[in-house]
Amino acid sequence: MYDFTTFVQSIGNFLHGQFSPGVATALEWTLVILIYLALYAILGLVLVYVERRVCAFFQLRLGPNRVGWAGTAQTVADALKLLLKEPVTVNKADKLLFNLAPFIITLAALTVISLVPFAKGLQAFDINIGLLFIVAVSSLGVVGILLAGWSSNNKYALIGAMRSGAQIVSYELSVGLSLLTMVLLTGTLQLSAIIETQANGWWIFKGHVPAVIAFFLYLTASIAEINRGPFDLPEAESELTAGFHTEYSGLKFAFFFLAEFVNMFTVAAIATTVFLGGWMPFHIGDWAGFNAVMDFLPPIFWFFLKVSAVIFLMMWFKWTFPRLRIDQLLKLEWKYLMPLNLMNLVFTAILVYLGWHG
Amino acid sequence: MFRAIYEYFKEILLAIRGLINGMRITGKYIAHARKEIITQEYPDNRDTLKMFDRFRGEVVLLHNENNEHRCTGCSACEVACPNGSIEIIWRAGKTPRRAKRKSRLRPSYTTCRCVRCATCVSCRAPLMRSKWGMISNTRFSIVRN
């Protein structure tokens, strides 16, 4: 019903009909880049507002409610303020690395977001090793964090960056293993194909217990990987002022801030794609009428609904649980998440071998 | 060995139970967020805001309906004040008729130095009380004479 493949192809055909192949390809790329940059900025603005508002409600406060209707223009005002601010560079900072770090983080966040399928045919970059690519590129962000911490010539920044390094090296394993569990069930790494396998039921429902366990393990580990929620040691405000981005100001700080929130979206989007059926509507068994109503809602709506549900869950985690200590953080990964993940993997392998999966 | 495995899984389940308990509490907060919000949007609701019983704010001298106060200038509040924000300025008038008048008595009260301890109020209970609402833009409204 809602298939964007022909629509996207018609744009491509139009461009190829009007221009020479090289120019057409370049135009297509420009179009995709513009769309994704706009999406990146809008996601950042919206998520910052939602985060501040939801966090306020969790703490029985009001949150920003002055600028615009119910404070919706607050983040726009903040962004304008950050744009106008002076980008201060520390005296003895490593200039090249200091300026490079925000771009590496932004690059990693943007690359990962380009793989997310928003609807059928609405995906910029559909490769057959999608999940592997995501796991590989998302850990590139830590290079930016380490560079930022190292080059700012600040003890707090360096401590934050080192913590982030330890954290990502550990939690990358859990993210990879929990996604691997799902790859056993789906049998493919391509994101669009993973969604196709969920046409008759989302994996979290038809994947039995292992899928549910894998979902929560993935959520925990990936929240830790994007330095968020109870695992925000690299930027622990009460301990390290602001962690790795202590010395950044103005636009460069905005890059870090945006990347953090877009990473949150990416994690939710991958969780949605792999566990919650991506843009597939919610179906119950053979209730034809109910399913028809659900089909009527466009897939892009379903996608963003699920993503926002997962994001809300992540905010709930963040504003409920206290921050972990560094030793507790490593203990959680190596003593609990990792063995559970391995057990889950073996369990799923047995299930798949016996052919019990949907 | 089985004992250790049992303990391991028990620990995990207990941890999950603790986490769910915590999330239930915050979930209750956000579910009732509209009703239970503590924050007051102060200058907007200045007319309707009802302060709590034990609130201690700016100190004012009570006046009766004829706009007369009962301050005798005994300086007990000045003595009680821990940081000298109250000062009783007693100026005898130059003419004998003026010297009798109470209006020459001038308690000076600096709100910016006051810590709202209300020690002065407990000292001269019928004369003073704590009042809600201090918001000012100028220096002149901070020092009350």
Side-chain angles (χ1 to χ4, degrees):
Chain A
M1 191 171 172
Y2 298 98
D3 192 344
F4 287 91
T5 322
T6 48
F7 171 68
V8 172
Q9 266 173 1
S10 68
I11 292 176
N13 289 339
F14 170 75
L15 285 176
H16 279 277
Q18 297 288 317
F19 304 101
S20 62
V23 178
T25 317
L27 277 177
E28 277 177 350
W29 284 1
T30 321
L31 206 61
V32 168
I33 288 169
L34 282 180
I35 290 172
Y36 272 87
L37 280 179
L39 182 76
Y40 190 83
I42 291 170
L43 272 180
L45 290 180
V46 171
L47 281 174
V48 171
Y49 170 70
V50 171
E51 160 94 19
R52 289 180 64 182
R53 213 52 187 161
V54 168
C55 135
F57 285 142
F58 270 124
Q59 299 173 341
L60 296 178
R61 293 185 288 115
L62 278 166
N65 64 347
R66 293 280 145 174
V67 193
W69 179 79
T72 35
Q74 179 69 53
T75 44
V76 180
D78 283 351
L80 283 177
K81 183 204 75 177
L82 282 175
L83 281 176
L84 295 175
K85 264 178 126 176
E86 182 196 0
V88 183
T89 311
V90 196
N91 227 353
K92 284 189 178 171
D94 191 330
K95 291 276 174 346
L96 175 68
L97 299 184
F98 190 79
N99 293 326
L100 195 64
F103 292 101
I104 290 182
I105 288 186
T106 313
L107 188 77
L110 259 177
T111 316
V112 178
I113 212 177
S114 72
L115 272 95
V116 173
F118 292 99
K120 193 175 174 62
L122 212 62
Q123 187 179 5
F125 190 38
D126 192 13
I127 45 173
N128 57 356
I129 50 161
L131 272 183
L132 182 68
F133 187 81
I134 283 174
V135 170
V137 173
S138 61
S139 54
L140 205 70
V142 74
V143 178
I145 293 178
L146 279 173
L147 283 186
W150 172 254
S151 62
S152 346
N153 192 24
N154 180 320
K155 293 185 192 72
Y156 291 130
L158 188 60
I159 294 171
M162 288 301 146
R163 281 183 182 184
S164 175
Q167 192 170 328
I168 288 190
V169 165
S170 333
Y171 279 84
E172 190 81 314
L173 280 167
S174 272
V175 174
L177 277 173
S178 54
L179 287 178
L180 202 62
T181 317
M182 294 317 289
V183 169
L184 272 179
L185 289 169
T186 56
T188 174
L189 286 163
Q190 194 175 355
L191 288 176
S192 56
I194 287 176
I195 294 178
E196 293 297 335
T197 59
Q198 307 182 68
N200 57 342
W202 307 349
W203 276 118
I204 199 157
F205 295 136
K206 67 173 183 175
H208 310 298
V209 184
V212 180
I213 296 175
F215 177 68
F216 283 104
L217 289 176
Y218 170 76
L219 213 57
T220 319
S222 52
I223 287 172
E225 207 198 332
I226 59 172
N227 305 326
R228 201 199 134 68
F231 308 101
D232 54 350
L233 294 122
E235 48 199 283
E237 293 95 349
S238 48
E239 302 161 26
L240 303 176
T241 58
F244 58 88
H245 54 59
T246 307
E247 297 294 354
Y248 284 89
S249 62
L251 200 54
K252 284 178 220 161
F253 170 72
F255 277 148
F256 281 111
F257 205 57
L258 269 183
E260 202 173 297
F261 280 92
V262 172
N263 276 337
M264 190 168 94
F265 172 81
T266 319
V267 163
I270 295 164
T272 305
T273 308
V274 178
F275 297 95
L276 302 176
W279 40 262
M280 286 285 175
F282 181 64
H283 282 173
I284 298 179
D286 45 357
W287 295 12
F290 179 78
N291 292 351
V293 171
M294 291 289 139
D295 279 336
F296 185 70
L297 293 169
I300 200 150
F301 167 80
W302 275 108
F303 179 79
F304 278 101
L305 187 74
K306 291 173 197 174
V307 166
S308 42
V310 177
I311 286 178
F312 180 74
L313 196 62
M314 284 158 71
M315 289 179 180
W316 198 347
F317 287 155
K318 172 160 184 173
W319 297 106
T320 304
F321 305 138
R323 186 185 303 127
L324 274 74
R325 225 165 42 212
I326 185 78
D327 64 316
Q328 290 169 335
L329 182 90
L330 295 177
K331 191 176 150 194
L332 176 72
E333 162 65 15
W334 295 103
K335 262 186 86 178
Y336 297 103
L337 291 188
M338 169 101 149
L340 278 179
N341 250 323
L342 287 171
M343 276 183 256
N344 200 22
L345 187 66
V346 172
F347 191 44
T348 317
I350 293 167
L351 271 186
V352 172
Y353 180 72
L354 294 174
W356 284 0
H357 63 299
Chain B
M1 189 197 148
F2 289 111
R3 181 91 198 148
I5 292 172
Y6 170 73
E7 291 287 329
Y8 176 78
F9 281 106
K10 195 181 154 195
E11 206 176 347
I12 290 172
L13 288 177
L14 281 177
I16 289 171
R17 207 178 72 180
L19 293 180
I20 288 174
N21 268 337
M23 284 179 70
R24 215 171 54 202
I25 290 168
T26 43
K28 213 184 285 170
Y29 283 164
I30 198 166
H32 302 117
R34 280 283 160 203
K35 268 185 279 171
E36 288 185 14
I37 277 182
I38 301 162
T39 318
Q40 301 287 344
E41 296 177 79
Y42 168 56
D44 290 354
N45 63 354
R46 206 199 300 233
D47 302 329
T48 54
L49 184 67
K50 227 177 115 39
M51 276 320 291
F52 318 103
D53 297 339
R54 297 179 61 185
F55 178 80
R56 292 186 300 196
E58 174 197 0
V59 177
V60 290
L61 201 55
L62 285 184
H63 288 68
N64 65 4
E65 61 273 12
N66 298 328
N67 205 18
E68 292 166 344
H69 60 73
R70 284 172 54 204
C71 178
T72 57
C74 73
S75 297
C77 50
E78 189 184 346
V79 171
C81 186
N83 49 13
S85 54
I86 299 178
E87 194 183 351
I88 303 293
I89 299 169
W90 180 270
R91 248 191 320 179
K94 289 200 174 99
T95 62
R97 204 176 103 246
R98 280 191 172 180
K100 285 180 199 161
R101 276 174 67 177
K102 246 183 197 179
S103 60
R104 300 312 294 172
L105 173 73
R106 206 155 60 84
S108 167
Y109 169 54
T110 316
T111 36
C112 61
R113 225 184 291 159
C114 178
V115 292
R116 279 91 193 169
C117 66
T119 323
C120 48
V121 176
S122 61
C123 170
R124 303 288 292 177
L127 299 183
M128 290 171 168
R129 67 171 173 159
S130 284
K131 181 192 145 198
W132 161 249
M134 50 236 172
I135 189 161
S136 63
N137 308 323
T138 55
R139 184 192 157 274
F140 303 106
S141 58
I142 287 177
V143 181
R144 310 276 162 83
N145 298 321

